[in-house]
């Protein structure tokens, strides 16, 4: 076999071999799962939210059952939504037959970000020091917030210093910040305020802590 023909066959074989291998982002680019252009996430409109009461193991529990205040949260997630647009992926390595890119597309994102969350008391309650929580009192500063799978909690004002995008599957957790030193049953409304002023209200949410 002629040397030139042999070299051509060898080169073609190597190219075919590498084309069939999955390509990791780190092998061909330095940005985070960049690999050229990434597929933009599809957009959806939030129609409603729901609230679950979860224990420290993220199991749903009865909100009327008392738990240590730092072992129970109110978890907010999307209940209903409507897809607005699905963006077709651009031509990249991932669209070439035989090449697999180890990059996942971004999850769908809501067309409006959350601007803030407010918590309003809806039933009389007495704290350990004798302070009465009146109907209509703003309880926002008494709660902390974070993403469900993150540890700890920060003030709601700090968390929303920047408007938060909402990706499909996101959970936000609300937790009472200070030990009540006694059994305390709370009844309150959660108002989620979007960046365009749209509001979602979940009324008479209960949290029983001790």
């Amino acid at each position: 076999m002629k040397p030139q023909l042999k070299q051509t066959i060898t080169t073609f074989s190597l190219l075919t071999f590498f084309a069939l291998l999955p390509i990791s982002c780190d092998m061909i680019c330095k940005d985070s799962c960049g690999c050229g252009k990434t597929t933009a996430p599809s957009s959806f409109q939030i129609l409603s939210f729901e609230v679950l009461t979860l224990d420290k193991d993220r199991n749903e529990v009865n909100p009327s059952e008392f738990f240590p205040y730092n072992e129970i949260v109110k978890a907010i997630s999307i209940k209903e939504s409507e897809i607005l647009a699905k963006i077709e992926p651009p031509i990249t390595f991932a669209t070439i037959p035989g090449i697999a890119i180890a990059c996942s597309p971004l999850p769908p994102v809501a067309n409006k970000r959350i601007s803030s969350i407010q918590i309003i008391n809806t039933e009389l309650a007495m704290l350990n020091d004798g302070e009465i929580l009146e109907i209509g009192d703003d309880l926002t500063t008494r709660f902390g917030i974070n993403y469900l799978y993150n540890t700890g909690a920060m003030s709601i004002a700090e968390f929303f210093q920047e408007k938060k995008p909402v990706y499909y599957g996101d959970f936000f957790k609300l937790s009472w910040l200070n030990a009540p030193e006694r059994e305390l049953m709370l009844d309150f409304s959660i108002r989620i305020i979007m960046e365009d002023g749209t509001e979602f209200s979940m009324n008479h949410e209960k949290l029983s802590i001790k």
Side-chain angles (χ1 to χ4, degrees), residues 109-148:
V109 63
N111 63 328
K112 297 169 188 172
R113 297 172 296 175
I114 297 179
S115 178
S116 63
I117 287 178
Q118 189 176 26
I119 303 170
I120 303 297
N121 191 46
T122 50
E123 280 193 13
L124 288 172
M126 181 182 290
L127 301 181
N128 185 54
D129 60 3
E131 180 183 357
I132 302 295
L133 299 178
E134 303 281 353
I135 295 174
D137 281 356
D138 191 334
L139 304 181
T140 307
T141 58
R142 298 180 185 271
F143 280 84
I145 191 171
N146 209 335
Y147 293 101
L148 181 61

Side-chain angles (χ1 to χ4, degrees), residues 22 29 31 33 57 65 67 87 97 130 134 141 150 168 182 194:
C29 59
D31 55 334
C33 222
D57 297 316
E65 183 179 351
F67 284 83
I87 301 173
E134 303 281 353
T141 58
N150 290 357
Y168 200 83
R182 54 172 289 191
M194 310 304 287

Side-chain angles (χ1 to χ4, degrees), residues 1-45:
M1 181 180 294
K2 294 181 179 181
Q4 185 177 0
L5 179 59
K6 184 177 181 181
Q7 184 179 2
T8 301
I9 293 174
T10 302
T11 303
F12 178 78
S13 299
L14 286 172
L15 289 174
T16 303
F17 172 75
F18 284 115
L20 293 174
L21 286 177
I23 297 176
S24 169
C25 292
D26 295 335
M27 291 174 59
I28 61 176
C29 59
K30 296 299 183 183
D31 55 334
S32 60
C33 222
C35 298
K37 293 183 179 180
T38 55
T39 303
S42 56
S43 175
F44 65 91
Q45 179 180 358

Side-chain angles (χ1 to χ4, degrees), residues 23-200:
I23 297 176
S24 169
C25 292
D26 295 335
M27 291 174 59
I28 61 176
C29 59
K30 296 299 183 183
D31 55 334
S32 60
C33 222
C35 298
K37 293 183 179 180
T38 55
T39 303
S42 56
S43 175
F44 65 91
Q45 179 180 358
I46 297 172
L47 301 179
S48 63
F49 287 92
E50 65 179 347
V51 182
L52 304 175
T53 305
L54 305 180
D55 65 13
K56 63 179 181 179
D57 297 316
R58 304 189 187 101
N59 296 315
E60 188 171 5
V61 296
N62 185 341
S64 297
E65 183 179 351
F66 287 92
F67 284 83
Y69 79 102
N70 56 356
E71 295 183 7
I72 190 168
V73 300
K74 302 297 284 190
I76 302 171
S77 64
I78 298 166
K79 182 179 182 181
E80 296 175 296
S81 62
E82 180 179 39
I83 293 293
L84 297 178
K86 187 173 182 180
I87 301 173
E88 292 300 322
I91 297 176
T92 63
F93 285 107
T95 62
I96 300 174
I99 294 183
I101 300 295
C103 300
S104 298
L106 293 172
V109 63
N111 63 328
K112 297 169 188 172
R113 297 172 296 175
I114 297 179
S115 178
S116 63
I117 287 178
Q118 189 176 26
I119 303 170
I120 303 297
N121 191 46
T122 50
E123 280 193 13
L124 288 172
M126 181 182 290
L127 301 181
N128 185 54
D129 60 3
E131 180 183 357
I132 302 295
L133 299 178
E134 303 281 353
I135 295 174
D137 281 356
D138 191 334
L139 304 181
T140 307
T141 58
R142 298 180 185 271
F143 280 84
I145 191 171
N146 209 335
Y147 293 101
L148 181 61
Y149 295 99
N150 290 357
T151 58
M154 63 183 74
S155 72
I156 292 175
E158 180 184 2
F159 188 79
F160 288 109
Q161 280 183 346
E162 295 183 359
K163 298 178 178 67
K164 288 288 187 287
V166 186
Y167 293 95
Y168 200 83
D170 272 351
F171 278 83
F172 301 93
K173 63 179 179 181
L174 294 170
S175 55
W176 190 258
L177 289 176
N178 299 311
E181 307 296 343
R182 54 172 289 191
E183 289 189 345
L184 175 65
M185 179 174 284
L186 299 163
D187 189 299
F188 51 88
S189 293
I190 300 172
R191 294 173 57 207
I192 300 175
I193 304 163
M194 310 304 287
E195 60 184 337
D196 67 343
T198 302
E199 294 187 8
F200 297 91

